[in-house]
């Protein structure tokens, strides 16, 4: 009888050890999934009229967010052209999407006219600028990179190096995915339509 009690005790201890091991192994994975699911980038920046625009204002809409600058020779115009095509192809569903262009060179872009730049691509693209601190905070929130680089042949003697991704934010403000530079409008459109 005593041997039977020992066996039961060992089985219980083995079961508890297995549960504890499972919790240790699965917990980091669950935490990573939770953190990824709750990644909510944010910004609080001004439009061309000086009105502060923040992430929460666009609740209920998908956001296509791109960081760039108006003097960009290729990446920014190419990406905004793709966004413009997406907005055109969406038709009536375009009301569910807000494209946003965040300047990483705000002082120069305000002088050059950020609205004139964004409107040249599509009337729905909202251009936003901020001071250095607000711009950096927005970029860090999106986990995107930018920095000023000396370039004697460029306007004002400098250019901006930056990440070239287009970010998709969901109606609840959660990060859904990023589209790498060069992703065609058809692929972006297909992804968006699958989420409506």
């Amino acid at each position: 009888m005593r041997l039977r009690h020992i066996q039961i005790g060992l089985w219980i201890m083995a079961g508890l050890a297995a549960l504890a091991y499972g919790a240790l192994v699965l917990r980091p994975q669950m935490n990573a999934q939770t953190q990824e699911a709750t990644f909510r980038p944010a910004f609080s920046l001004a439009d061309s009229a000086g009105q502060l625009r923040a992430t929460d204002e666009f609740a209920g809409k998908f956001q296509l967010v791109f960081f760039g600058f108006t003097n960009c020779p290729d990446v920014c115009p190419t990406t905004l052209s793709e966004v413009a095509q997406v907005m055109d192809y969406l038709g009536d569903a375009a009301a569910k999407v807000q494209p946003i262009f965040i300047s990483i060179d705000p002082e120069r872009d305000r002088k050059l006219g950020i609205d004139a730049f964004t409107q040249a691509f599509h009337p729905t693209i909202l251009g936003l600028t901020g001071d250095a601190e607000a711009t950096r905070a927005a970029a860090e929130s999106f986990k995107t990179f930018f920095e000023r680089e000396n370039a004697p042949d460029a306007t004002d003697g400098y250019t901006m190096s930056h990440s070239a991704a287009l970010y998709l934010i969901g109606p609840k403000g959660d990060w859904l995915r990023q589209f790498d530079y060069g992703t065609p409008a058809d692929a972006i459109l297909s992804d968006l339509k699958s989420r409506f």
Side-chain angles (χ1 to χ4, degrees), residues 39-44 55 67 134-144 167 169 173 175:
F39 171 40
R40 295 175 184 252
F43 59 82
S44 183
T55 317
F67 288 78
T135 303
R136 181 66 61 191
E140 288 176 358
S141 175
F142 278 80
K143 302 184 187 330
T144 196
Y167 302 96
I169 308 304
W175 182 93

Side-chain angles (χ1 to χ4, degrees), residues 143-163:
K143 302 184 187 330
T144 196
F145 158 86
F146 74 90
E147 71 179 1
R148 180 175 165 155
E149 291 184 353
N150 291 331
D153 296 337
T155 305
D156 299 324
Y158 75 92
T159 189
M160 301 297 292
S161 176
H162 64 97
S163 301

Side-chain angles (χ1 to χ4, degrees), residues 32-109:
Q33 290 170 352
T34 302
Q35 286 172 356
E36 186 174 319
T38 58
F39 171 40
R40 295 175 184 252
F43 59 82
S44 183
L45 301 161
D47 61 19
S48 63
Q51 180 182 348
L52 205 59
R53 312 295 289 268
T55 317
D56 293 345
E57 176 184 343
F58 305 103
K61 288 188 172 189
F62 289 90
Q63 299 168 56
L64 285 171
V65 182
F66 184 73
F67 288 78
F69 63 112
T70 61
N71 273 331
C72 182
D74 45 24
V75 172
C76 302
T78 300
T79 302
L80 292 182
S81 293
E82 298 292 347
V83 170
Q85 288 179 47
V86 168
M87 296 307 289
D88 284 341
Y89 295 162
L90 280 171
D92 292 340
K96 298 177 182 180
V97 180
Q98 177 59 62
I100 298 170
F101 177 80
I102 296 178
S103 171
I104 55 167
D105 188 15
E107 186 175 339
R108 184 166 62 175
D109 286 350

